[in-house]
Amino acid sequence: MVGNSARGWAWMLLALVSASKFAWCDSTPLRERFRAELTVHGPVNFVAGRIGNEIAYCVQGDVVREGKRIAAVDVVDAHGKLLRTITEPGPTGTSQAGAYLHCIDYKRGPMVLFSWVPDKDGVPGGADLVRVRDGEVVARIANTTRFGNNNSIIADIDGDGKTDALYADQQSLSLCSVPELAQRWRIDTGINFCWSLPALVDVTGDGR
């Protein structure tokens, strides 16, 4: 819930993503606020965050450049204007969007962590941590497998007061610092699983 009307109704914002368009609507009744033309095709995920005092939306998908498919993220402002497109061709020059996109509100400015998959078997994929304001790549994570992260946990995992990224690919689980993405430890599970969905819970019941 993000606000109330004069009649005291609460309005809920809904994002609608189609093949090449991004629409932002409110409900009761459903009414379109804006429509943005996207650069990415086949959007697979989106997140919302802030650049200063302005809301921005990041939409993950693929773009075609010179006949090559490349994983990308479109950054759209609160009025539906496309600010920039962030791309990651990977080591083979062609790639596809992974299934993971995460917004991180950091003191150096909002960032997104997104995964990508090379368009070639046997080549490891990865994830990029990118500053939304200017598209600068802050750091990268290298997978041990081609297909990588479908979900990560961004939290203070070890209780030292610093933000961590718990990142999974198909055969390993790593704890990385933010924003450097320096690997602090890695567990090689040896299980070739498809959907990597790590969970964070209080296993011992000590409140941590």
Side-chain angles (χ1 to χ4, degrees), residues 149 151-153 166-168 173 196-200:
N149 186 46
N151 198 5
S152 279
I153 295 173
L166 187 63
Y167 179 88
L173 181 67
S196 48
L197 303 172
L200 181 62

Side-chain angles (χ1 to χ4, degrees), residues 40-118:
V40 299
H41 299 276
V44 295
N45 217 336
F46 94 99
V47 293
R50 287 186 177 274
I51 302 178
N53 294 323
E54 296 290 328
I55 294 175
Y57 311 100
C58 295
V59 186
Q60 182 183 20
D62 300 326
V63 297
V64 177
R65 301 282 171 83
E66 299 180 353
K68 297 180 179 180
R69 179 172 64 171
I70 299 174
V73 175
D74 277 347
V75 182
V76 180
D77 72 7
H79 308 287
K81 178 183 177 182
L82 180 65
L83 299 178
R84 65 188 49 84
T85 300
I86 302 164
T87 60
E88 176 52 77
T92 64
T94 57
S95 61
Q96 58 184 296
Y100 173 73
L101 180 68
H102 197 114
C103 182
I104 302 172
D105 187 12
Y106 197 69
K107 59 185 177 182
R108 300 182 190 178
M111 300 180 289
V112 288
L113 181 64
F114 71 97
S115 60
W116 50 271
V117 181

